[in-house]
Amino acid sequence: MAAAPIRGGRAHAEYQPKDGKIFVLILGSDARSGNPRHSRTDGVHLAGINTKTMKGGILNFPRDSWVNIPGSGSARINEALNRGGPDLAVRTIESLTGIQVDYWLLTAFEGFQKAIKDVGGKIPLPLKRGMYDSGSGARLPRGTKTLSAEESLAFVRSRKSLPGGDVDRTANHGRFLIALLRKLRGDIERRPDRMFDWMQAARKWTALDIPPHELFQLGVLTSQVKSQDVGNVTVPVRIGSVGSASVVFVQPGAQAIYDRFKEKASL
Amino acid sequence: MTTTASEKPKRKPWWLPAVAVLAIGGIVAAAVAMTANDDGSNTSSGPSSGSIGDPEIRQAKWKFTLQRGPGKKFSNKQRVYFAKQRKKLKAMTREVFDALYLSPEKQRAALRANFTPKARKSYQRAGVGVPQKAEDVRIRWRSARIVIDGNARATMDVKMIARGKAGQGAFATKHRSILYAARTNDGWKVFGFNVDQNPFRKNKSSDKEEDKKNRDKKKPAKKDKKRSGGRNRRGDRS
């Protein structure tokens, strides 16, 4: 047995899929009421973890991305959920990127806010610039350090005040997910059993296809990825139109990002 | 009056006591050799100075906190089952950490019984516990906070402070392990962990005095109260 101190700690989580990578599709529905499984998505994000390097990545898809929806023709990516539920959304992303998705998670406005409340709010997301958005109701001055549940919802909904509109909003979703990871790690460090509160919030306020024992393992694994080791990348797009509909077209350079993400599960 | 040889009083040989001492010494040496481990340390249950698991050394008592995770109220059946899981996890914690700190010869078996294979290898590689050939290990603090969720998942937050001797010097370590366990067909198994272990230095009395001096320096000097125009304690103008 060694006598040397274990500086910085050591971590291990045994959740090794056959190739050491896990991909979870995270969908944010715009449903204010009704069934969120058949509504449009404002947020489409593919999160990956490489269980060998313990690094991760979040790949963001702007909601107006014009893509092929299997069995349904071409449409905006946010239509996939509306037309075929989470399964069709998964198949759309798999067809677009070539990445096999292991799990999906879907949340809507109300569920999002309540989940954040249940894990204690106070999401650590420092704002270098103020955010004032009439559409979302965001009133976040510059220097804000943490977001409450209501502020979190306003933050992720804001787009009118952002120069890049919906594309910038999508990138903000990725930032928010990384902030959630930071909060999870902080909570676990103080009280490891807080993992169960997080799991309960996820099971209660989101729809997901992860069984409880796998959710626990996935939660433990996720809590051991440092937030600075998670890349946040938005798929490159250009503004265009299809008929009278304003859409964005995915740029050819996105293929290299998909390939890299598929190989490394990190960005 | 003469006596015959058979009637003469018998004298004990002069070399008998020396032989007796040597024989006893040999028996004791043989007994010690039989109880010693391959590495030369002695962990017999009998009193022997300097052994790692010396029962003569008083160890801190375990402080356990056992709770259940968030969720619905338990039915009676679930409550009974929960009580069983609490016992098992308590026993698991004792087994693993007593092996790591007090009985290194049991460490491998304890980890094998309670960890998944990959987690066990990873935990052993982390080098937790006391230094090699530690002696006079004294555990000053050991506590575990165990939370069980749905009778199927558990977190164990274990903290230890231990002192002892190793080689030519003394050591003191502060240890924290967060263990994540799930109930399987083979019982509870730890599949994930976070571990932090550092040298522990108790605040010596001289350090305390120095800290006090520094605190006093930082306090601002009390300003003199204004006497004129102000009110005294009763509220009357002075």
Side-chain angles (χ1 to χ4, degrees), chain B residues 9-45:
Chain B
K10 283 183 184 174
R11 260 192 208 170
K12 286 181 189 172
W14 62 267
W15 41 261
L16 193 59
V19 167
V21 166
L22 282 170
I24 290 166
I27 291 166
V28 167
V32 166
M34 278 166 63
T35 56
N37 291 330
D38 289 343
D39 62 357
S41 65
N42 189 333
T43 54
S44 66
S45 56

Side-chain angles (χ1 to χ4, degrees), chain B residues 128-146:
Chain B
V128 297
V130 294
Q132 279 187 348
K133 298 190 182 173
E135 290 180 339
D136 290 348
V137 173
R138 192 180 297 261
I139 299 176
R140 305 305 301 269
W141 176 273
R142 45 183 176 180
S143 68
R145 185 161 188 275
I146 301 174

Side-chain angles (χ1 to χ4, degrees), chain B residues 9-207:
Chain B
K10 283 183 184 174
R11 260 192 208 170
K12 286 181 189 172
W14 62 267
W15 41 261
L16 193 59
V19 167
V21 166
L22 282 170
I24 290 166
I27 291 166
V28 167
V32 166
M34 278 166 63
T35 56
N37 291 330
D38 289 343
D39 62 357
S41 65
N42 189 333
T43 54
S44 66
S45 56
S48 63
S49 65
S51 66
I52 191 168
D54 191 340
E56 296 282 311
I57 298 175
R58 207 170 149 200
Q59 309 292 353
K61 279 188 182 172
W62 270 105
K63 290 178 177 47
F64 281 104
T65 307
L66 288 117
Q67 288 178 322
R68 70 177 184 94
K72 291 179 192 171
K73 210 174 162 181
F74 270 173
S75 63
N76 282 336
K77 196 176 170 186
Q78 283 174 322
R79 206 172 291 126
V80 167
Y81 197 67
F82 174 70
K84 280 186 190 166
Q85 306 317 312
R86 278 171 53 145
K87 258 188 187 171
K88 287 181 183 176
L89 287 167
K90 228 169 134 172
M92 175 210 255
T93 309
R94 275 187 209 268
E95 187 184 352
V96 169
F97 287 90
D98 285 355
L100 286 173
Y101 281 83
L102 300 174
S103 308
E105 75 285 359
K106 294 180 187 170
Q107 182 191 354
R108 192 173 273 237
L111 293 180
R112 202 179 283 275
N114 297 296
F115 280 57
T116 59
K118 284 183 188 168
R120 172 179 61 79
K121 284 176 193 165
S122 195
Y123 200 65
Q124 280 178 309
R125 268 200 303 270
V128 297
V130 294
Q132 279 187 348
K133 298 190 182 173
E135 290 180 339
D136 290 348
V137 173
R138 192 180 297 261
I139 299 176
R140 305 305 301 269
W141 176 273
R142 45 183 176 180
S143 68
R145 185 161 188 275
I146 301 174
V147 180
I148 307 171
D149 182 60
N151 285 330
R153 295 162 286 279
T155 60
M156 287 163 275
D157 189 358
V158 182
K159 294 176 184 171
M160 310 274 284
I161 295 176
R163 293 175 182 275
K165 292 176 195 163
Q168 291 182 356
F171 71 86
T173 58
K174 190 174 177 184
H175 170 105
R176 184 186 186 198
S177 272
I178 298 171
L179 306 180
Y180 298 99
R183 198 162 50 81
T184 66
N185 292 335
D186 291 334
W188 287 94
K189 297 283 182 193
V190 172
F191 67 87
F193 64 82
N194 286 76
V195 65
D196 229 327
Q197 183 166 297
N198 287 294
F200 174 69
R201 194 171 137 257
K202 196 179 169 186
N203 220 355
K204 290 181 188 172
S205 55
S206 56
D207 289 346

Side-chain angles (χ1 to χ4, degrees), chain A residues 130-163:
Chain A
M131 184 182 268
Y132 298 90
D133 191 295
S134 55
S136 69
R139 292 199 174 290
L140 305 169
R142 180 181 151 193
T144 300
K145 291 200 168 84
T146 59
L147 304 180
S148 65
E150 294 77 15
E151 287 169 343
S152 298
L153 183 61
F155 175 79
V156 299
R157 285 186 60 210
S158 298
R159 64 179 171 90
K160 289 178 180 172
S161 60
L162 301 174

